[in-house]
Amino acid sequence: MTPLNTPEWQSLDRHYTDLKYVSMRDEFALDSGRFERFSLNSGELLLDYSKNRITKETIEKLIALAKSLGLSDWIERMYTGESINTTEGRAVSHIALRNRSNRPIKVDGKDVMPAVNAVLAQMKQFCDQVHQGKWLGYTDKRISDVVNIGIGGSDLGPAMICEALEPYAIAGMNVHFVSNVDGTDLSTTLEKLSPETTLFIVASKTFTTQETLTNAQSARAWFLRAGGVEDIAKHFVAVSTNADAVAKFGINTDNMFEIWDWVGGRYSLWSAIGLPIALYVGMESFERLLDGGHEMDNHFRKQPFENNMPVIMGLLGVWYVNFFGSQTHAIVPYDHSLTRFPSHMQQLDMESNGKLTNRQGQRISYSTGPVIWGTPGTNGQHAYFQLIHQGTQLIPVDFVLPVNSHYPECDHQSILLANGLAQSEALMKGKSAEEVRTELVNEGYEGEALEALQPHKIFPGNRPSNTLIFPKLTPEMLGQLVALYEHKVFVQGAIWNINSFDQWGVELGKQLAKAIVPELQKDADISGHDSSTTSLINLIRQLTKR
Ligand code: G6Q
């Protein structure tokens, strides 16, 4: 079953042919109500999508496509705990983790809310003990530093949230994230810390991930150079589905926080994988994050598609990927504390929708997830924005703009916001040959010099962007934003008829490296790979100073 064969897709194809030369600049000039028509709210979050290559008809046709492909049913199937991650035989129920209404959500016929609430209570009790100085290190000193050891979904989300919510940090608490198996990551983190005041969270859903277990073993060895085995319980806790492996590692399962297989790694920051967040900013702020996620969940489930932010953003993404042939999508937060936001979104989107097989197991013939990338504005403007303005590719951009800063510094915020707005305006409007000519004449250019320079200063414009704007980056707002992108990814997966919730490409990496590690440690030359890999392994063996 392919979306390409639906009448709605074919109608969009024809519509694209009509629309591809229509200029947004003209459309704005013709319609003073374009912003009102193409903007919508979820609470205090506003999406302005008027600077897109769309007309009213485009949105109607995209919504018709979503309806014809059963998007409402897919949403309900997720919200009612059906096993829609078919290749792993699992439900997709991260919404249960932030289900602040506490309505029953059944997975395999069992309401998961009691278990979710029990782990939240366990997290609260643990955080309170640490913050109140009741949970002490082995020399009776208070815990001041939390080191989260995890990778991928067990790292990126919590690391991003902690950085973003730094203004909410509990006084005296520091948080660090070690993910890379490159020893530099762990060593440079630990060299600043004291074992007496450091708490390690070993965060691994499976508790089999090589990088995490290697880092955790080394952290344990570092700790044991100061404390004793009997002190480990005060300094190591785990977050996992795998109690046996946690016990085998030497962490008391009383100090384990449970997660469940119906939570995908990249969707798990709302679970006990969020423990470093709760320790850093407090359980109250963590719960405010959950509240924001829940607000977006309600919006996604209840709003008609034309007022539904994740649906509109997801469909606009499909419009550019499948009809305009866009291969990448930039996310540019004009907020320095959201520096890691694009990386988390990169994993969320690319691991979910980077698929070439449909739900029925057939190879698909249309594009799916684009490359997601970005860094904070205004820095990006001095780097890659050149290509977005004048390059040969069409790259849709999401501008993420908090109006108020947690660190108001005279006119910094106005300058920051003005830059974000100016970029989206310039991408839309461009600069025509006539405008460039007038500008150059005014600057005193004439003759050959004018003719030579003019073509280089033309901006085609008509380059699309969304603007997400909100009063301030609070925990609730951050929760809304992350849940918005999670659901956007869901919408696109439903349209593309793919399972957004497995990640066999990640599993492949986990298997392959395991086979090469012993080969790198062998004394004699190895063989058996392709000539490139074999030669590189043997070169590394020779160059390694043991
Ligand atoms: C996320 C992926 C992947 C996973 C890591 C860590 O959706 O599945 O990024 O989170 O591979 O896995 P563990 O938590 O099992 O160590």
Side-chain angles (χ1 to χ4, degrees):
M1 125 102 210
T2 160
L4 300 188
N5 292 340
T6 60
E8 290 76 11
W9 189 286
Q10 287 156 9
S11 166
L12 275 161
D13 241 341
R14 290 190 296 275
H15 179 63
Y16 167 71
T17 312
D18 295 341
L19 197 90
K20 66 180 169 192
Y21 298 115
V22 170
S23 116
M24 281 193 269
R25 194 172 178 167
D26 293 345
E27 294 293 302
F28 268 103
L30 288 170
D31 178 8
S32 59
R34 190 172 167 91
F35 169 78
E36 280 74 27
R37 188 187 312 287
F38 296 130
S39 57
L40 62 97
N41 287 82
S42 167
E44 291 191 308
L45 175 63
L46 179 128
L47 166 67
D48 170 16
Y49 62 101
S50 59
K51 293 191 186 95
N52 277 290
R53 306 269 293 264
I54 53 168
T55 61
K56 193 165 156 277
E57 215 184 343
T58 320
I59 294 297
E60 285 164 5
K61 287 179 185 297
L62 286 166
I63 288 175
L65 176 72
K67 287 185 176 162
S68 75
L69 294 169
L71 178 59
S72 300
D73 287 347
W74 280 112
I75 296 173
E76 276 316 289
R77 291 169 81 176
M78 172 167 71
Y79 276 71
T80 51
E82 216 179 286
S83 286
I84 56 174
N85 175 0
T86 45
T87 58
E88 296 182 304
R90 292 175 185 167
V92 173
S93 295
H94 47 278
I95 52 149
L97 302 167
R98 53 197 190 217
N99 172 21
R100 311 300 286 162
S101 73
N102 210 24
R103 74 175 171 91
I105 296 182
K106 289 192 176 165
V107 172
D108 295 328
K110 190 173 160 214
D111 181 13
V112 295
M113 289 316 298
V116 168
N117 292 330
V119 174
L120 284 173
Q122 185 193 3
M123 287 169 69
K124 179 169 171 27
Q125 189 191 21
F126 180 62
C127 290
D128 286 349
Q129 283 182 323
V130 171
H131 295 149
Q132 291 163 12
K134 292 179 185 155
W135 181 291
L136 297 170
Y138 71 100
T139 54
D140 286 340
K141 289 192 179 157
R142 290 174 81 118
I143 299 296
S144 59
D145 290 87
V146 173
V147 179
N148 189 79
I149 299 179
I151 196 165
S154 302
D155 167 74
L156 282 163
M160 179 275 285
I161 301 278
C162 285
E163 187 175 68
L165 296 185
E166 185 269 342
Y168 296 84
I170 300 271
M173 289 302 295
N174 305 298
V175 69
H176 315 265
F177 288 84
V178 172
S179 55
N180 201 326
V181 74
D182 180 342
T184 313
D185 199 2
L186 184 71
S187 303
T188 54
T189 303
L190 295 185
E191 70 190 10
K192 301 182 287 257
L193 304 181
S194 157
E196 294 173 87
T197 52
T198 299
L199 175 80
F200 292 95
I201 303 173
V202 185
S204 176
K205 184 173 153 183
T206 55
F207 228 80
T208 57
T209 305
Q210 191 182 36
E211 294 94 322
T212 299
L213 295 187
T214 306
N215 275 323
Q217 289 290 4
S218 300
R220 190 172 186 270
W222 174 83
F223 176 78
L224 288 176
R225 289 203 280 276
V229 176
E230 67 285 1
D231 302 320
I232 282 183
K234 292 179 176 165
H235 292 268
F236 283 80
V237 300
V239 182
S240 190
T241 54
N242 189 345
D244 290 346
V246 168
K248 204 162 148 219
F249 178 85
I251 295 179
N252 188 334
T253 48
D254 290 347
N255 297 338
M256 175 181 141
F257 297 79
E258 193 186 5
I259 52 172
W260 307 274
D261 68 3
W262 42 263
V263 184
R266 53 199 174 276
Y267 299 87
S268 65
L269 68 88
W270 320 92
S271 70
I273 290 289
L275 186 61
I277 306 171
L279 282 165
Y280 184 51
V281 297
M283 199 62 194
E284 198 187 312
S285 294
F286 183 71
E287 287 176 351
R288 288 174 60 190
L289 180 83
L290 302 184
D291 291 341
H294 183 58
E295 187 173 347
M296 183 53 71
D297 293 342
N298 286 337
H299 172 97
F300 183 48
R301 192 179 193 188
K302 293 180 184 157
Q303 286 299 319
F305 287 174
E306 52 275 20
N307 291 330
N308 194 312
M309 209 176 277
V311 170
I312 294 291
M313 282 178 65
L315 291 174
L316 286 170
V318 169
W319 181 229
Y320 293 118
V321 167
N322 298 108
F323 297 90
F324 286 79
S326 290
Q327 295 192 348
T328 86
H329 185 115
I331 300 178
V332 186
Y334 278 67
D335 183 333
H336 203 71
S337 68
L338 288 176
T339 295
R340 291 183 196 223
F341 188 76
S343 299
H344 177 57
M345 292 305 141
Q346 188 173 64
Q347 182 194 27
L348 172 66
D349 199 314
M350 293 171 71
E351 209 168 284
S352 298
N353 286 343
K355 308 282 164 69
L356 50 68
T357 307
N358 71 12
R359 287 182 171 274
Q360 291 70 39
Q362 297 146 339
R363 177 80 183 250
I364 54 185
S365 60
Y366 45 89
S367 295
T368 57
V371 173
I372 302 290
W373 59 285
T375 56
T378 62
N379 297 10
Q381 293 173 209
H382 299 265
Y384 53 79
F385 263 73
Q386 164 62 34
L387 188 146
I388 303 181
H389 283 288
Q390 286 190 308
T392 51
Q393 305 182 33
L394 186 78
I395 302 178
V397 183
D398 290 350
F399 291 95
V400 181
L401 305 183
V403 175
N404 297 291
S405 171
H406 285 284
Y407 297 99
E409 288 280 347
C410 52
D411 46 7
H412 285 228
Q413 193 65 9
S414 314
I415 295 172
L416 179 73
L417 293 170
N419 270 281
L421 295 177
Q423 289 296 322
S424 75
E425 187 177 30
L427 286 168
M428 183 274 285
K429 284 173 88 171
K431 203 184 274 183
S432 67
E434 297 70 43
E435 286 167 333
V436 173
R437 179 169 288 271
T438 310
E439 204 174 271
L440 289 176
V441 168
N442 289 342
E443 286 169 20
Y445 281 89
E446 56 183 20
E448 271 181 29
L450 189 149
E451 299 305 330
L453 192 52
Q454 188 203 20
H456 299 280
K457 298 193 89 173
I458 294 171
F459 290 78
N462 227 10
R463 305 213 159 187
S465 66
N466 291 317
T467 300
L468 285 161
I469 191 160
F470 45 91
K472 200 167 190 173
L473 190 65
T474 58
E476 292 88 343
M477 186 51 69
L478 186 57
Q480 278 215 59
L481 272 176
V482 177
L484 163 64
Y485 277 92
E486 289 179 355
H487 294 322
K488 175 204 156 180
V489 165
F490 181 91
V491 168
Q492 296 186 333
I495 303 291
W496 288 325
N497 185 29
I498 53 178
N499 177 5
S500 303
F501 299 100
D502 58 14
Q503 55 284 314
W504 300 107
V506 178
E507 310 306 329
L508 175 72
K510 291 186 182 186
Q511 287 156 16
L512 293 182
K514 279 194 181 135
I516 294 181
V517 172
E519 294 178 333
L520 288 175
Q521 292 166 348
K522 273 197 178 144
D523 289 333
D525 273 2
I526 65 103
S527 58
H529 295 271
D530 58 86
S531 65
S532 163
T533 311
T534 302
S535 304
L536 292 173
I537 291 173
N538 287 329
L539 178 67
I540 290 170
R541 285 184 40 262
Q542 285 158 23
L543 294 177
T544 304
K545 296 185 184 66
R546 293 185 188 283

